[in-house]
Amino acid sequence: MTTTAKLDMDTRMQRPLAGKTAIVTGSTSGIGLGIARSLAEAGAHIVLNGLGDQDEIKRTRDMLQESSGVTVAFDGANLMDPVDTAAMVERSERLFGRVDILVNNAGIQHVSPIEEFPAAKWDAIIALDLSAVFHATKAAFKGMKERKFGRIINVASAHGLVASPFKSAYVAAKHGVVGLTKVTALEGAEFNVTANAICPGYVWTPLVEKQIDDQAKAHKISREQVIRDVLLINQPNKKFATVEEMGALAVFLSSDMAASITGTALPVDGGWTAH
Ligand code: NAD
């Protein structure tokens, strides 16, 4: 192998997504931000999306751009709105010329027994955790199929595979995402467009932090008891997964080496769904 070819290979191995472009929804925080960081470090230009303080978002964006050397944009689309969701994809295509990787990650949660579950919370969770995945996929799919390259990564949950009490809307939405992922995989297969769902167990993020208080109220127990006896009760390794683990998996699923992996729901849950 010539020195130049070896250098090219080294660069490809270190920056396997060099020149690709990715939208990561809900990437102003938690898992989405972790995935955006990993994709950027692997060389992909990034569109961040999500809610939050605009100054803080700008700082995050500037830091990520500086540390990774890729272009990092921000799109503040509210994914509760199907029109804004599709427009986010169109704006990203205009900005970068194409969208190669779509990570549907934005999600919310509400914990309450069914008979007390507010109808408005049900509607909001279905709109963001499930319908927005469809609307963003629909907007990105045509271009991906035409260009014969696409990677759709849906951040579902272990709750896309199994259920827990008090999470009716979330479990319904995440099971829906796993089903939608399979359909997307089948329709994209001949076009080198893959679709996979990542199914994390508990990952330490602001979403989980909020649940601790909600669960403490629902079960009438302390925060420490919630962590030990509720959240990690089914996670055999008794550890929260990390956003870096989610990022590493997203990088691999986005790479050429994952071309044959499609339609899967991959648990990253310390053995939870092996029960
Ligand atoms: P988080 O609360 O830290 O982040 C959620 C992100 O979604 C934020 O960037 C927020 O601004 C964004 N968002 C919320 N509403 C939005 C809207 N209307 N439009 C656009 N963006 C919006 O949560 P997280 O824990 O990082 O969760 C990310 C995903 O991972 C979710 O889909 C969640 O269901 C899934 N998940 C999380 C865990 C966990 O343990 N943290 C486990 C399994 C699955």
Side-chain angles (χ1 to χ4, degrees), residues 35-114:
I35 289 178
R37 265 199 201 107
S38 297
L39 294 177
E41 280 160 14
H45 302 297
I46 302 290
V47 178
L48 297 171
N49 156 262
L51 311 179
D53 177 73
Q54 293 306 305
D55 290 339
E56 205 171 302
I57 292 172
K58 187 177 178 313
R59 271 196 299 279
T60 303
R61 176 188 161 181
D62 291 348
M63 269 166 54
L64 189 53
Q65 186 157 272
E66 189 151 323
S67 63
S68 61
V70 300
T71 305
V72 180
F74 171 72
D75 192 301
N78 181 350
L79 304 186
M80 294 283 190
D81 176 353
V83 176
D84 208 11
T85 304
M88 170 189 68
V89 175
E90 285 156 23
R91 285 189 290 266
S92 305
E93 280 180 335
R94 270 204 303 278
L95 180 68
F96 286 126
R98 60 188 200 280
V99 171
D100 301 303
I101 301 159
L102 171 66
V103 182
N104 289 303
N105 163 80
I108 48 171
Q109 167 69 287
H110 182 77
V111 179
S112 167
I114 289 175

Side-chain angles (χ1 to χ4, degrees), residues 26 28-29 31 51 78-79 105 155-156 170 174 200-201 203 205-208:
T28 52
S29 163
I31 294 174
L51 311 179
N78 181 350
L79 304 186
N105 163 80
V155 180
Y170 188 80
K174 295 299 187 179
V203 187
T205 68
L207 181 137
V208 168

Side-chain angles (χ1 to χ4, degrees), residues 31 156-159 170 198-204 208 231-232 235 239-241 246 266-270 272-273:
I31 294 174
S157 167
H159 281 121
Y170 188 80
I198 297 179
C199 298
Y202 280 100
V203 187
W204 190 268
V208 168
L231 296 189
L232 296 184
Q235 208 148 303
K239 279 191 202 143
F240 286 100
M246 305 305 143
L266 290 159
V268 190
D269 63 2
W272 173 355
T273 51

Side-chain angles (χ1 to χ4, degrees), residues 190-202:
E190 282 188 55
F191 302 88
N192 191 27
V193 178
T194 68
N196 292 286
I198 297 179
C199 298
Y202 280 100

Side-chain angles (χ1 to χ4, degrees), residues 107-156:
I108 48 171
Q109 167 69 287
H110 182 77
V111 179
S112 167
I114 289 175
E115 63 273 32
E116 291 161 24
F117 208 98
K121 289 279 184 199
W122 169 277
D123 288 344
I125 290 172
I126 298 300
L128 183 63
D129 294 22
L130 176 57
S131 299
V133 179
F134 167 74
H135 296 302
T137 299
K138 180 177 175 185
F141 213 33
K142 187 166 173 278
M144 287 179 173
K145 284 166 82 174
E146 278 171 7
R147 291 185 297 272
K148 300 270 192 302
F149 184 91
R151 297 287 187 263
I152 295 173
I153 299 171
N154 296 327
V155 180

